[in-house]
Amino acid sequence: IEEDRAAAALEVMSRFALDPRWLIYLPPTMSPSETSARDGYLEYPEEAFAYFRREGIAQVVCEEKHMGSRAVLVLCRDGEVAARRFGLSGEALPGACYTRTGRQFFEDEATNRELITRLSAALGAAGVWERYGTDWLCLDAELLPWSAKALGLIAEQYRPVAVASGAATTATVAMLRNALARGVDTAALLARMETRQANAAAYAAAVAHYIWPVEGIADLKLAPFHLLASEGRVWFDQDHVWHMGLADRLAATGDKVIAPTRWRVVPLADEAACADAIAWWEALTGTGGEGMVVKPRDFVARGAKGLLQPALKVRGREYLRIIYGPEYDAPEHLDRLRVRGLGGKRNLALREFALGHEALKRFVEGAPLRKVHECVFAVLAMESEPIDPRL
């Protein structure tokens, strides 16, 4: 880790992070699939399947990609465990929920407390404590809605684009229609502006789909997808079918704050199964979903040249409108956007994935917290590398 990036990460952690005794892991970034050559698409599942097929992977797990904010949860059975295992006082909340940059997820302490309490109860109802012989664990999850954490970003970056583009194109279309009615030949320009108006409306609709009011815990949804670690154990040796089975059991406890994640296993040699998974992705994205994540069935997968991407995201056409702008899918823009390099993003994803694994391994083996934080803070330092944030 270069010195300036290490210094920046330490500064962020020292000023903004939650109690560092909870910080045992930060999640890695995720690369998109290779760029699609299919008309009208920047990303399409075929490329993700082809990547893993080339690397000799027989099966992948496709998971619905939730549009929210990444959340890491460290949960203890009670306050005594938090004191013994994490060094917290006996009165401390027996758990933590934090962002992918190590900050406490909720500013409202009541919401934070209720979420931790309900998740701990759900773990008990699902028999997790007894089944895995542990009194604490670390979960990787997505917390919805997007607006629960990104309201400032939405207000400053996304909503102004929706409002400005909608107002500008609506006014221009009205003016051109009036001119056409007076006999001025504006037909070609009007058709172009009507397309831009439709794109602006589609952008606004895409943004609005991921926003709903959050007044308390009843308005939140948490979708867990990995059990990362527990007492004496890092769970990277279990495949994604096992992890999603646990996520299904937690969702089946009936607590409405836990959202299920739709998923499926796809054998890459089976053309019909691949076609069915693509149709499933098209249905998800066609009804407003962000897309899907394609993972090799094994949590840690290797090919001929070493470690493979732990996951590839395949985002839908309308979600990518938020990322790249209202008119990104015009042919002239798609041609330009298809020339995007993924090498830096993929290298970063692999390094951060390995660091996360090492951090958890050190923690469960009882290493000093400073040794765990070497890895955790390194993940945050890497996030300052100059890589296209739209990837």
Side-chain angles (χ1 to χ4, degrees):
I1 305 298
E2 294 179 10
E3 186 177 350
D4 58 339
R5 290 177 185 150
L10 289 167
E11 174 74 6
V12 168
M13 286 296 188
S14 64
R15 293 182 63 189
F16 303 115
L18 83 170
D19 190 316
R21 288 171 291 187
W22 291 119
L23 281 171
I24 62 174
Y25 174 81
L26 286 181
T29 190
M30 188 191 309
S31 171
S33 61
E34 275 89 350
T35 305
S36 176
R38 182 178 289 263
D39 286 346
Y41 288 89
L42 191 60
E43 295 176 13
Y44 201 73
E46 287 172 338
E47 283 68 32
F49 294 163
Y51 166 81
F52 288 115
R53 195 181 288 116
R54 284 195 306 271
E55 297 292 345
I57 299 300
Q59 292 184 339
V60 294
V61 175
C62 297
E63 300 173 14
E64 172 187 12
K65 192 172 191 307
H66 297 285
M67 178 49 173
S69 301
R70 195 71 168 264
V72 177
L73 297 112
V74 182
L75 302 168
C76 300
R77 200 162 189 171
D78 52 41
E80 182 181 336
V81 176
R84 173 177 52 79
R85 191 63 180 87
F86 293 88
L88 279 299
S89 67
E91 295 77 30
L93 187 65
C97 177
Y98 56 91
T99 70
R100 69 186 315 273
T101 57
R103 307 182 191 210
Q104 182 162 302
F105 202 99
F106 299 105
E107 294 181 6
D108 179 54
E109 188 55 37
T111 301
N112 186 55
R113 179 174 294 277
E114 188 171 355
L115 180 68
I116 296 298
T117 302
R118 287 175 62 168
L119 289 174
S120 294
L123 290 167
V128 171
W129 303 122
E130 292 78 13
R131 178 178 294 193
Y132 304 121
T134 187
D135 49 17
W136 72 269
L137 52 78
C138 181
L139 286 174
D140 200 0
E142 192 84 357
L143 208 150
L144 296 84
W146 181 36
S147 52
K149 197 62 185 171
L151 202 54
L153 182 66
I154 292 166
E156 294 173 11
Q157 181 170 325
Y158 295 103
R159 190 168 280 149
V161 173
V163 173
S165 60
T169 55
T170 298
T172 305
V173 165
M175 180 186 69
L176 291 171
R177 284 174 178 166
N178 287 337
L180 186 64
R182 296 196 308 272
V184 180
D185 185 11
T186 61
L189 183 56
L190 175 59
R192 185 155 66 98
M193 289 307 302
E194 285 176 335
T195 298
R196 298 186 68 182
Q197 183 184 33
N199 287 337
Y203 177 92
V207 171
H209 184 78
Y210 303 112
I211 300 171
W212 65 77
V214 176
E215 297 180 359
I217 193 77
D219 300 314
L220 297 172
K221 298 291 182 186
L222 183 92
F225 44 84
H226 295 148
L227 170 58
L228 295 166
S230 60
E231 187 59 39
R233 180 77 185 267
V234 176
W235 293 92
F236 282 42
D237 59 334
Q238 296 294 323
D239 68 19
H240 286 291
V241 172
W242 182 91
H243 284 272
M244 293 311 298
L246 174 58
D248 288 345
R249 290 200 304 276
L250 291 176
T253 60
D255 192 318
K256 293 183 179 179
V257 78
I258 302 176
T261 297
R262 290 169 283 184
W263 63 281
R264 56 179 57 200
V265 177
V266 180
L268 293 178
D270 187 334
E271 292 185 8
C274 291
D276 189 50
I278 291 171
W280 180 67
W281 175 84
E282 289 176 338
L284 281 175
T285 57
T287 54
E290 179 184 343
M292 72 180 178
V293 178
V294 182
K295 304 174 180 179
R297 179 164 178 158
D298 289 340
F299 204 106
V300 180
R302 287 180 168 83
K305 296 182 179 179
L307 194 64
L308 300 182
Q309 291 295 308
L312 294 176
K313 57 188 175 184
V314 187
R315 297 166 291 182
R317 294 177 68 180
E318 292 309 309
Y319 174 78
L320 286 172
R321 198 177 300 280
I322 302 175
I323 303 303
Y324 287 101
E327 300 175 25
Y328 90 100
D329 57 349
E332 63 273 18
H333 298 317
L334 271 180
D335 289 343
R336 173 176 52 83
L337 291 172
R338 284 191 173 110
V339 185
R340 57 178 191 171
L342 298 178
K345 183 77 168 181
R346 293 200 168 174
N347 182 268
L348 192 63
L350 289 176
R351 288 186 291 157
E352 291 181 1
F353 177 71
L355 281 164
H357 185 211
E358 179 65 17
L360 292 168
K361 180 172 174 287
R362 291 182 181 188
F363 182 78
V364 300
E365 291 176 350
L369 195 57
R370 62 183 175 82
K371 299 297 291 182
V372 178
H373 284 170
E374 283 181 350
C375 304
V376 175
F377 293 4
V379 173
L380 186 62
M382 285 183 175
E383 283 297 299
S384 64
E385 293 193 12
I387 291 175
D388 186 349
R390 299 173 299 179
L391 292 176

